[in-house]
Amino acid sequence: KLGLSASKQENFSEWYSELVVSSELISYYDVSGCYILRPWAYAMWEVVQSFFDGKIKAMGVQNAYFPLFITEDVLNTEKDHVEGFAPEVAWVTRCGNAEMDKPIAIRPTSETVMYPYFAQWIRSHRDLPLRLNQWTNVVRWEFKYPTPFIRSREFLWQEGHTAFANQEEANQEVLDILELYRRVYEEILAVPVTKGRKSKKEQFAGAAYTTTVEAFIPETGKGIQGATSHHLGQNFSKMFGIEFEDEERNKVHAWQNSWGLTTRSLGVMIMTHSDNKGLVLPPKAAPKQIVLIPIPNSKTSDEVISEICNKIDTFKRQLEDAGVRVVTDMRLNYTPGWKYNHWELRGVPLRLELGPKDIENKGVVVVRRDTGVKETVSWDDVAARVPQLLDQMQAEMLANATAKYQACIEKVTTWDAFMTALDNKHMVLAPWADEEEVEEDVKKRSVTPDAMGAKTLCIPFNQPELPEGTLCFASGKPAKNWALWGRSY
Ligand SMILES: O=C1CCCN[C@@H]1CCCn1cnc2cc(F)c(F)cc2c1=O
Ligand SMILES: [Mg+2]
């Protein structure tokens, strides 16, 4: 069948589920909430990994690998946080036919795995900063409705864990990493995000503060956390005894950060750009950026067909030399229309068509996947024009998504306007008292028969003016700052 049967506008969740399977990104798996990442999806994760990995290495972060398993005692070092998460911890209780005398947890995150060893390795200020990252999987036995990439019981991520001799360096790294997350979203995935701080209620309980990049899915009207960068203060170094001797030989607890980005980022990109014909991939994230398709017709002679195929090979070489990721589709037993549909479904950004009349005119036809716009390019210009077109597409896809994102933000100061904005499936920028009980109250009061309550997505770093005497939209108390609110994943 051509294209998808469900429509993004009419039935978003059906459209998304059909899309990720028919574009060969995902296969559903025997264990509920787990998915197979097929090569087309994994290649996108590798694009994100190679960008982020290169940047953190340039900052002096080193990759390492820590064990998957955590003993109960060690997991409970972080008791007061973990108990909130306890229902989602997966345990190994048996091997073979023998029950284990002590169950072993599968890592849901690695603080408790790593930090006892940080304590061993860090003795002197000369051992700092210690900056480690690992690219791994984690398991969280979520009970909320699973969604490919967005919410699964096992997912891939990177988790960075760093320790510094002073808070200033740690605070700076939090923001450096958050900027890298923004770049992953905006420069590679062409997805706009808002940088901000999480509220007391929404932050990681173990952190001193949590910063975040927040994305948004207009079709569902729900915000979604894109990635997170926490400053942990000395909370964990006191819990795990991570102390160092400073220059004056005083014993000081280290200042720590932790930060994470997951395969959810791919889901946000897919939801943002794809359409009813299938995936639409920003060139920077696309496993293949152009597909070269010969289009001989029934009257084309054998020697013209071989001319066409040789020319395709030439363009493949030229474009690869220009750093473009190329795929060719030489299956002459399939019609051009069938092949166009096949590659449109997979979201390849550009298609190059080469037929008999193109041989005569020494030209090719290049078609954009995002807009469908066609243009004729002469043979000598292909190697220069294609990279240009890809850059143009990348910029336009981000610009379009950003315009849509901004149009989904309503700035309000009253409760009624707040509720109207939520009913419009928008995010809401509103002045508030910045108190946990106000957030609890808003969550309860904004529940409707067919929609969950709203929470704060973040307190944007970029704050609008807050005139003296401005009141909290929900409590009437003096407003402290503007928060971005929304329903969320
Ligand atoms: O968010 C990050 C970035 C990467 C490193 N970790 C931090 C904090 C993770 C917060 N968190 C998040 N989820 C959890 C789920 C659990 F089952 C559990 F036992 C613990 C946690 C948990 O601590
Ligand atoms: Mg969670």
mmCIF file of all heavy atoms in Angstrom, residues 83-125:
data_model
loop_
_atom_site.group_PDB
_atom_site.id
_atom_site.type_symbol
_atom_site.label_atom_id
_atom_site.label_comp_id
_atom_site.label_asym_id
_atom_site.label_seq_id
_atom_site.Cartn_x
_atom_site.Cartn_y
_atom_site.Cartn_z
ATOM 1 N N GLU A 83 13.147 4.739 47.122
ATOM 2 C CA GLU A 83 11.841 4.174 47.520
ATOM 3 C C GLU A 83 10.722 4.740 46.650
ATOM 4 O O GLU A 83 9.779 4.030 46.315
ATOM 5 C CB GLU A 83 11.581 4.370 49.003
ATOM 6 C CG GLU A 83 11.349 5.796 49.448
ATOM 7 C CD GLU A 83 11.453 5.928 50.966
ATOM 8 O OE1 GLU A 83 11.862 4.947 51.617
ATOM 9 O OE2 GLU A 83 11.148 7.014 51.478
ATOM 10 N N GLY A 84 10.856 5.959 46.167
ATOM 11 C CA GLY A 84 9.844 6.507 45.253
ATOM 12 C C GLY A 84 9.848 5.750 43.937
ATOM 13 O O GLY A 84 8.819 5.594 43.279
ATOM 14 N N PHE A 85 11.021 5.229 43.571
ATOM 15 C CA PHE A 85 11.152 4.526 42.299
ATOM 16 C C PHE A 85 11.030 3.017 42.453
ATOM 17 O O PHE A 85 11.041 2.285 41.463
ATOM 18 C CB PHE A 85 12.528 4.825 41.694
ATOM 19 C CG PHE A 85 12.726 6.238 41.256
ATOM 20 C CD1 PHE A 85 13.673 7.038 41.870
ATOM 21 C CD2 PHE A 85 11.988 6.767 40.210
ATOM 22 C CE1 PHE A 85 13.877 8.345 41.460
ATOM 23 C CE2 PHE A 85 12.185 8.082 39.791
ATOM 24 C CZ PHE A 85 13.142 8.868 40.419
ATOM 25 N N ALA A 86 10.935 2.549 43.690
ATOM 26 C CA ALA A 86 11.018 1.100 43.961
ATOM 27 C C ALA A 86 10.132 0.262 43.037
ATOM 28 O O ALA A 86 10.575 -0.761 42.523
ATOM 29 C CB ALA A 86 10.695 0.826 45.416
ATOM 30 N N PRO A 87 8.904 0.688 42.749
ATOM 31 C CA PRO A 87 8.043 -0.169 41.920
ATOM 32 C C PRO A 87 8.618 -0.445 40.536
ATOM 33 O O PRO A 87 8.234 -1.409 39.885
ATOM 34 C CB PRO A 87 6.740 0.621 41.816
ATOM 35 C CG PRO A 87 6.763 1.583 42.944
ATOM 36 C CD PRO A 87 8.209 1.920 43.163
ATOM 37 N N GLU A 88 9.529 0.415 40.061
ATOM 38 C CA GLU A 88 10.018 0.181 38.700
ATOM 39 C C GLU A 88 11.382 -0.494 38.653
ATOM 40 O O GLU A 88 11.965 -0.641 37.584
ATOM 41 C CB GLU A 88 10.005 1.474 37.900
ATOM 42 C CG GLU A 88 10.682 2.667 38.516
ATOM 43 C CD GLU A 88 10.400 3.951 37.704
ATOM 44 O OE1 GLU A 88 9.294 4.515 37.776
ATOM 45 O OE2 GLU A 88 11.326 4.360 36.985
ATOM 46 N N VAL A 89 11.896 -0.928 39.802
ATOM 47 C CA VAL A 89 13.182 -1.626 39.794
ATOM 48 C C VAL A 89 12.963 -3.095 39.468
ATOM 49 O O VAL A 89 12.114 -3.754 40.070
ATOM 50 C CB VAL A 89 13.879 -1.500 41.169
ATOM 51 C CG1 VAL A 89 15.211 -2.247 41.166
ATOM 52 C CG2 VAL A 89 14.102 -0.028 41.518
ATOM 53 N N ALA A 90 13.726 -3.600 38.493
ATOM 54 C CA ALA A 90 13.634 -5.012 38.099
ATOM 55 C C ALA A 90 14.701 -5.796 38.858
ATOM 56 O O ALA A 90 15.827 -5.316 38.999
ATOM 57 C CB ALA A 90 13.832 -5.156 36.599
ATOM 58 N N TRP A 91 14.329 -6.969 39.317
ATOM 59 C CA TRP A 91 15.231 -7.776 40.145
ATOM 60 C C TRP A 91 15.492 -9.144 39.537
ATOM 61 O O TRP A 91 14.598 -9.774 38.999
ATOM 62 C CB TRP A 91 14.615 -7.981 41.534
ATOM 63 C CG TRP A 91 14.456 -6.720 42.309
ATOM 64 C CD1 TRP A 91 13.362 -5.904 42.321
ATOM 65 C CD2 TRP A 91 15.407 -6.136 43.192
ATOM 66 N NE1 TRP A 91 13.579 -4.820 43.147
ATOM 67 C CE2 TRP A 91 14.832 -4.947 43.695
ATOM 68 C CE3 TRP A 91 16.701 -6.481 43.605
ATOM 69 C CZ2 TRP A 91 15.501 -4.105 44.584
ATOM 70 C CZ3 TRP A 91 17.350 -5.646 44.510
ATOM 71 C CH2 TRP A 91 16.758 -4.480 44.982
ATOM 72 N N VAL A 92 16.749 -9.640 39.658
ATOM 73 C CA VAL A 92 17.086 -11.030 39.368
ATOM 74 C C VAL A 92 16.973 -11.797 40.680
ATOM 75 O O VAL A 92 17.639 -11.427 41.658
ATOM 76 C CB VAL A 92 18.528 -11.139 38.814
ATOM 77 C CG1 VAL A 92 18.868 -12.603 38.558
ATOM 78 C CG2 VAL A 92 18.686 -10.321 37.548
ATOM 79 N N THR A 93 16.098 -12.780 40.725
ATOM 80 C CA THR A 93 15.903 -13.481 42.009
ATOM 81 C C THR A 93 16.321 -14.954 41.917
ATOM 82 O O THR A 93 16.386 -15.634 42.919
ATOM 83 C CB THR A 93 14.416 -13.455 42.407
ATOM 84 O OG1 THR A 93 13.674 -14.067 41.338
ATOM 85 C CG2 THR A 93 13.936 -12.027 42.592
ATOM 86 N N ARG A 94 16.561 -15.444 40.710
ATOM 87 C CA ARG A 94 16.829 -16.880 40.564
ATOM 88 C C ARG A 94 17.840 -17.095 39.460
ATOM 89 O O ARG A 94 17.854 -16.330 38.485
ATOM 90 C CB ARG A 94 15.500 -17.572 40.188
ATOM 91 C CG ARG A 94 15.521 -19.065 40.380
ATOM 92 C CD ARG A 94 14.234 -19.701 39.889
ATOM 93 N NE ARG A 94 14.255 -19.813 38.418
ATOM 94 C CZ ARG A 94 13.217 -19.538 37.645
ATOM 95 N NH1 ARG A 94 12.089 -19.100 38.166
ATOM 96 N NH2 ARG A 94 13.306 -19.648 36.334
ATOM 97 N N CYS A 95 18.689 -18.097 39.589
ATOM 98 C CA CYS A 95 19.492 -18.525 38.442
ATOM 99 C C CYS A 95 19.392 -20.037 38.394
ATOM 100 O O CYS A 95 19.491 -20.715 39.417
ATOM 101 C CB CYS A 95 20.919 -18.030 38.526
ATOM 102 S SG CYS A 95 21.776 -18.509 39.997
ATOM 103 N N GLY A 96 19.152 -20.537 37.193
ATOM 104 C CA GLY A 96 18.884 -21.970 37.071
ATOM 105 C C GLY A 96 17.665 -22.297 37.921
ATOM 106 O O GLY A 96 16.676 -21.574 37.906
ATOM 107 N N ASN A 97 17.752 -23.379 38.705
ATOM 108 C CA ASN A 97 16.612 -23.729 39.558
ATOM 109 C C ASN A 97 16.771 -23.195 40.972
ATOM 110 O O ASN A 97 15.930 -23.408 41.821
ATOM 111 C CB ASN A 97 16.459 -25.257 39.625
ATOM 112 C CG ASN A 97 16.071 -25.788 38.259
ATOM 113 O OD1 ASN A 97 15.379 -25.096 37.520
ATOM 114 N ND2 ASN A 97 16.554 -26.959 37.914
ATOM 115 N N ALA A 98 17.905 -22.486 41.169
ATOM 116 C CA ALA A 98 18.173 -22.093 42.565
ATOM 117 C C ALA A 98 17.749 -20.642 42.802
ATOM 118 O O ALA A 98 18.095 -19.751 42.033
ATOM 119 C CB ALA A 98 19.661 -22.248 42.847
ATOM 120 N N GLU A 99 16.978 -20.419 43.860
ATOM 121 C CA GLU A 99 16.680 -19.053 44.283
ATOM 122 C C GLU A 99 17.980 -18.428 44.786
ATOM 123 O O GLU A 99 18.794 -19.118 45.412
ATOM 124 C CB GLU A 99 15.674 -19.071 45.442
ATOM 125 C CG GLU A 99 14.250 -19.388 45.020
ATOM 126 C CD GLU A 99 13.667 -18.307 44.126
ATOM 127 O OE1 GLU A 99 13.807 -17.107 44.474
ATOM 128 O OE2 GLU A 99 13.155 -18.659 43.042
ATOM 129 N N MET A 100 18.176 -17.182 44.475
ATOM 130 C CA MET A 100 19.383 -16.524 44.999
ATOM 131 C C MET A 100 19.107 -16.089 46.428
ATOM 132 O O MET A 100 17.991 -15.612 46.721
ATOM 133 C CB MET A 100 19.723 -15.321 44.125
ATOM 134 C CG MET A 100 20.047 -15.749 42.697
ATOM 135 S SD MET A 100 19.909 -14.397 41.561
ATOM 136 C CE MET A 100 21.453 -13.600 41.867
ATOM 137 N N ASP A 101 20.091 -16.199 47.315
ATOM 138 C CA ASP A 101 19.796 -15.820 48.700
ATOM 139 C C ASP A 101 19.566 -14.320 48.790
ATOM 140 O O ASP A 101 18.786 -13.842 49.592
ATOM 141 C CB ASP A 101 20.889 -16.289 49.674
ATOM 142 C CG ASP A 101 22.285 -15.873 49.206
ATOM 143 O OD1 ASP A 101 22.351 -15.094 48.225
ATOM 144 O OD2 ASP A 101 23.281 -16.335 49.775
ATOM 145 N N LYS A 102 20.216 -13.557 47.909
ATOM 146 C CA LYS A 102 19.919 -12.103 47.902
ATOM 147 C C LYS A 102 19.564 -11.691 46.474
ATOM 148 O O LYS A 102 20.335 -11.954 45.561
ATOM 149 C CB LYS A 102 21.144 -11.334 48.382
ATOM 150 C CG LYS A 102 21.341 -11.420 49.909
ATOM 151 C CD LYS A 102 22.258 -10.323 50.393
ATOM 152 C CE LYS A 102 22.260 -10.260 51.907
ATOM 153 N NZ LYS A 102 21.546 -9.050 52.417
ATOM 154 N N PRO A 103 18.434 -11.040 46.247
ATOM 155 C CA PRO A 103 18.082 -10.605 44.893
ATOM 156 C C PRO A 103 19.038 -9.511 44.427
ATOM 157 O O PRO A 103 19.623 -8.803 45.237
ATOM 158 C CB PRO A 103 16.665 -10.061 45.047
ATOM 159 C CG PRO A 103 16.561 -9.630 46.457
ATOM 160 C CD PRO A 103 17.468 -10.531 47.253
ATOM 161 N N ILE A 104 19.202 -9.439 43.137
ATOM 162 C CA ILE A 104 20.124 -8.459 42.529
ATOM 163 C C ILE A 104 19.301 -7.541 41.607
ATOM 164 O O ILE A 104 18.551 -8.043 40.765
ATOM 165 C CB ILE A 104 21.177 -9.199 41.674
ATOM 166 C CG1 ILE A 104 21.952 -10.195 42.529
ATOM 167 C CG2 ILE A 104 22.081 -8.198 40.963
ATOM 168 C CD1 ILE A 104 23.326 -9.824 42.888
ATOM 169 N N ALA A 105 19.438 -6.232 41.737
ATOM 170 C CA ALA A 105 18.686 -5.292 40.896
ATOM 171 C C ALA A 105 19.401 -5.078 39.560
ATOM 172 O O ALA A 105 20.631 -5.141 39.486
ATOM 173 C CB ALA A 105 18.539 -3.957 41.617
ATOM 174 N N ILE A 106 18.616 -4.830 38.545
ATOM 175 C CA ILE A 106 19.160 -4.419 37.244
ATOM 176 C C ILE A 106 19.158 -2.894 37.232
ATOM 177 O O ILE A 106 18.159 -2.280 37.608
ATOM 178 C CB ILE A 106 18.300 -4.970 36.098
ATOM 179 C CG1 ILE A 106 18.374 -6.498 36.100
ATOM 180 C CG2 ILE A 106 18.760 -4.407 34.766
ATOM 181 C CD1 ILE A 106 17.501 -7.161 35.067
ATOM 182 N N ARG A 107 20.257 -2.281 36.810
ATOM 183 C CA ARG A 107 20.406 -0.827 36.953
ATOM 184 C C ARG A 107 19.269 -0.067 36.273
ATOM 185 O O ARG A 107 18.991 -0.271 35.093
ATOM 186 C CB ARG A 107 21.735 -0.336 36.385
ATOM 187 C CG ARG A 107 21.812 -0.460 34.881
ATOM 188 C CD ARG A 107 23.101 0.045 34.261
ATOM 189 N NE ARG A 107 23.200 -0.481 32.897
ATOM 190 C CZ ARG A 107 24.267 -1.060 32.381
ATOM 191 N NH1 ARG A 107 25.379 -1.157 33.106
ATOM 192 N NH2 ARG A 107 24.258 -1.546 31.151
ATOM 193 N N PRO A 108 18.613 0.821 37.028
ATOM 194 C CA PRO A 108 17.674 1.781 36.450
ATOM 195 C C PRO A 108 18.388 3.113 36.176
ATOM 196 O O PRO A 108 17.897 3.960 35.461
ATOM 197 C CB PRO A 108 16.626 1.958 37.546
ATOM 198 C CG PRO A 108 17.334 1.658 38.809
ATOM 199 C CD PRO A 108 18.511 0.789 38.494
ATOM 200 N N THR A 109 19.550 3.279 36.773
ATOM 201 C CA THR A 109 20.466 4.397 36.653
ATOM 202 C C THR A 109 21.668 3.993 37.510
ATOM 203 O O THR A 109 21.556 3.073 38.313
ATOM 204 C CB THR A 109 19.831 5.716 37.138
ATOM 205 O OG1 THR A 109 20.770 6.781 36.966
ATOM 206 C CG2 THR A 109 19.436 5.652 38.600
ATOM 207 N N SER A 110 22.824 4.624 37.321
ATOM 208 C CA SER A 110 24.036 4.015 37.892
ATOM 209 C C SER A 110 24.699 4.764 39.036
ATOM 210 O O SER A 110 25.857 4.457 39.368
ATOM 211 C CB SER A 110 25.048 3.774 36.767
ATOM 212 O OG SER A 110 24.481 2.917 35.792
ATOM 213 N N GLU A 111 24.025 5.709 39.666
ATOM 214 C CA GLU A 111 24.666 6.421 40.792
ATOM 215 C C GLU A 111 25.196 5.433 41.828
ATOM 216 O O GLU A 111 26.374 5.479 42.207
ATOM 217 C CB GLU A 111 23.659 7.362 41.485
ATOM 218 C CG GLU A 111 23.384 8.653 40.769
ATOM 219 C CD GLU A 111 22.460 8.483 39.582
ATOM 220 O OE1 GLU A 111 21.983 7.362 39.331
ATOM 221 O OE2 GLU A 111 22.244 9.467 38.860
ATOM 222 N N THR A 112 24.333 4.499 42.245
ATOM 223 C CA THR A 112 24.729 3.612 43.346
ATOM 224 C C THR A 112 25.770 2.594 42.896
ATOM 225 O O THR A 112 26.489 2.034 43.723
ATOM 226 C CB THR A 112 23.500 2.859 43.909
ATOM 227 O OG1 THR A 112 22.879 2.159 42.826
ATOM 228 C CG2 THR A 112 22.505 3.829 44.527
ATOM 229 N N VAL A 113 25.862 2.351 41.590
ATOM 230 C CA VAL A 113 26.890 1.445 41.052
ATOM 231 C C VAL A 113 28.243 2.142 41.084
ATOM 232 O O VAL A 113 29.257 1.584 41.475
ATOM 233 C CB VAL A 113 26.570 1.052 39.589
ATOM 234 C CG1 VAL A 113 27.687 0.193 39.009
ATOM 235 C CG2 VAL A 113 25.225 0.366 39.496
ATOM 236 N N MET A 114 28.266 3.397 40.685
ATOM 237 C CA MET A 114 29.514 4.108 40.448
ATOM 238 C C MET A 114 30.094 4.752 41.699
ATOM 239 O O MET A 114 31.304 4.727 41.928
ATOM 240 C CB MET A 114 29.281 5.208 39.407
ATOM 241 C CG MET A 114 28.955 4.712 38.023
ATOM 242 S SD MET A 114 28.547 6.132 36.987
ATOM 243 C CE MET A 114 28.908 5.493 35.370
ATOM 244 N N TYR A 115 29.240 5.357 42.518
ATOM 245 C CA TYR A 115 29.769 6.270 43.518
ATOM 246 C C TYR A 115 30.582 5.611 44.642
ATOM 247 O O TYR A 115 31.520 6.226 45.145
ATOM 248 C CB TYR A 115 28.659 7.186 44.053
ATOM 249 C CG TYR A 115 28.047 8.097 43.006
ATOM 250 C CD1 TYR A 115 26.916 8.848 43.261
ATOM 251 C CD2 TYR A 115 28.606 8.200 41.734
ATOM 252 C CE1 TYR A 115 26.346 9.678 42.296
ATOM 253 C CE2 TYR A 115 28.052 9.017 40.757
ATOM 254 C CZ TYR A 115 26.922 9.747 41.047
ATOM 255 O OH TYR A 115 26.373 10.558 40.078
ATOM 256 N N PRO A 116 30.304 4.347 45.008
ATOM 257 C CA PRO A 116 31.215 3.717 45.984
ATOM 258 C C PRO A 116 32.648 3.652 45.448
ATOM 259 O O PRO A 116 33.613 3.742 46.210
ATOM 260 C CB PRO A 116 30.627 2.322 46.153
ATOM 261 C CG PRO A 116 29.196 2.453 45.762
ATOM 262 C CD PRO A 116 29.166 3.468 44.663
ATOM 263 N N TYR A 117 32.791 3.544 44.105
ATOM 264 C CA TYR A 117 34.139 3.464 43.517
ATOM 265 C C TYR A 117 34.719 4.858 43.328
ATOM 266 O O TYR A 117 35.926 5.058 43.445
ATOM 267 C CB TYR A 117 34.097 2.611 42.237
ATOM 268 C CG TYR A 117 33.650 1.239 42.624
ATOM 269 C CD1 TYR A 117 32.295 0.896 42.647
ATOM 270 C CD2 TYR A 117 34.564 0.322 43.145
ATOM 271 C CE1 TYR A 117 31.866 -0.325 43.108
ATOM 272 C CE2 TYR A 117 34.140 -0.901 43.615
ATOM 273 C CZ TYR A 117 32.789 -1.223 43.610
ATOM 274 O OH TYR A 117 32.367 -2.420 44.093
ATOM 275 N N PHE A 118 33.880 5.844 43.075
ATOM 276 C CA PHE A 118 34.362 7.230 43.083
ATOM 277 C C PHE A 118 35.018 7.504 44.430
ATOM 278 O O PHE A 118 36.065 8.148 44.522
ATOM 279 C CB PHE A 118 33.198 8.199 42.854
ATOM 280 C CG PHE A 118 32.766 8.355 41.417
ATOM 281 C CD1 PHE A 118 32.937 7.333 40.501
ATOM 282 C CD2 PHE A 118 32.190 9.545 40.984
ATOM 283 C CE1 PHE A 118 32.543 7.478 39.168
ATOM 284 C CE2 PHE A 118 31.777 9.713 39.652
ATOM 285 C CZ PHE A 118 31.964 8.675 38.752
ATOM 286 N N ALA A 119 34.398 6.975 45.507
ATOM 287 C CA ALA A 119 34.923 7.227 46.857
ATOM 288 C C ALA A 119 36.309 6.610 47.018
ATOM 289 O O ALA A 119 37.189 7.182 47.659
ATOM 290 C CB ALA A 119 33.972 6.669 47.899
ATOM 291 N N GLN A 120 36.513 5.438 46.369
ATOM 292 C CA GLN A 120 37.820 4.783 46.462
ATOM 293 C C GLN A 120 38.850 5.540 45.634
ATOM 294 O O GLN A 120 39.997 5.697 46.019
ATOM 295 C CB GLN A 120 37.738 3.350 45.927
ATOM 296 C CG GLN A 120 37.032 2.372 46.847
ATOM 297 C CD GLN A 120 37.048 0.969 46.243
ATOM 298 O OE1 GLN A 120 37.990 0.611 45.524
ATOM 299 N NE2 GLN A 120 36.015 0.198 46.518
ATOM 300 N N TRP A 121 38.417 6.012 44.442
ATOM 301 C CA TRP A 121 39.402 6.587 43.512
ATOM 302 C C TRP A 121 39.763 8.036 43.825
ATOM 303 O O TRP A 121 40.796 8.534 43.403
ATOM 304 C CB TRP A 121 38.853 6.520 42.074
ATOM 305 C CG TRP A 121 38.503 5.144 41.608
ATOM 306 C CD1 TRP A 121 39.058 3.973 42.025
ATOM 307 C CD2 TRP A 121 37.517 4.804 40.644
ATOM 308 N NE1 TRP A 121 38.480 2.917 41.370
ATOM 309 C CE2 TRP A 121 37.519 3.393 40.514
ATOM 310 C CE3 TRP A 121 36.604 5.533 39.859
ATOM 311 C CZ2 TRP A 121 36.684 2.707 39.640
ATOM 312 C CZ3 TRP A 121 35.764 4.849 38.974
ATOM 313 C CH2 TRP A 121 35.809 3.448 38.883
ATOM 314 N N ILE A 122 38.865 8.731 44.529
ATOM 315 C CA ILE A 122 39.089 10.165 44.762
ATOM 316 C C ILE A 122 39.609 10.357 46.192
ATOM 317 O O ILE A 122 38.901 10.066 47.155
ATOM 318 C CB ILE A 122 37.781 10.955 44.560
ATOM 319 C CG1 ILE A 122 37.337 10.893 43.099
ATOM 320 C CG2 ILE A 122 37.942 12.407 44.998
ATOM 321 C CD1 ILE A 122 35.918 11.366 42.859
ATOM 322 N N ARG A 123 40.877 10.771 46.331
ATOM 323 C CA ARG A 123 41.484 10.999 47.650
ATOM 324 C C ARG A 123 41.999 12.427 47.759
ATOM 325 O O ARG A 123 41.911 13.038 48.813
ATOM 326 C CB ARG A 123 42.649 10.026 47.875
ATOM 327 C CG ARG A 123 42.271 8.562 47.826
ATOM 328 C CD ARG A 123 41.377 8.218 48.971
ATOM 329 N NE ARG A 123 40.897 6.859 48.917
ATOM 330 C CZ ARG A 123 40.293 6.277 49.924
ATOM 331 N NH1 ARG A 123 40.087 6.936 51.049
ATOM 332 N NH2 ARG A 123 39.853 5.040 49.831
ATOM 333 N N SER A 124 42.572 12.896 46.666
ATOM 334 C CA SER A 124 43.211 14.209 46.680
ATOM 335 C C SER A 124 42.564 15.101 45.620
ATOM 336 O O SER A 124 41.986 14.593 44.654
ATOM 337 C CB SER A 124 44.708 14.045 46.348
ATOM 338 O OG SER A 124 45.170 15.181 45.654
ATOM 339 N N HIS A 125 42.726 16.410 45.780
ATOM 340 C CA HIS A 125 42.209 17.352 44.765
ATOM 341 C C HIS A 125 42.862 17.056 43.416
ATOM 342 O O HIS A 125 42.325 17.366 42.376
ATOM 343 C CB HIS A 125 42.460 18.791 45.203
ATOM 344 C CG HIS A 125 43.911 19.141 45.365
ATOM 345 N ND1 HIS A 125 44.701 19.586 44.313
ATOM 346 C CD2 HIS A 125 44.724 19.059 46.443
ATOM 347 C CE1 HIS A 125 45.925 19.766 44.756
ATOM 348 N NE2 HIS A 125 45.975 19.445 46.048
#
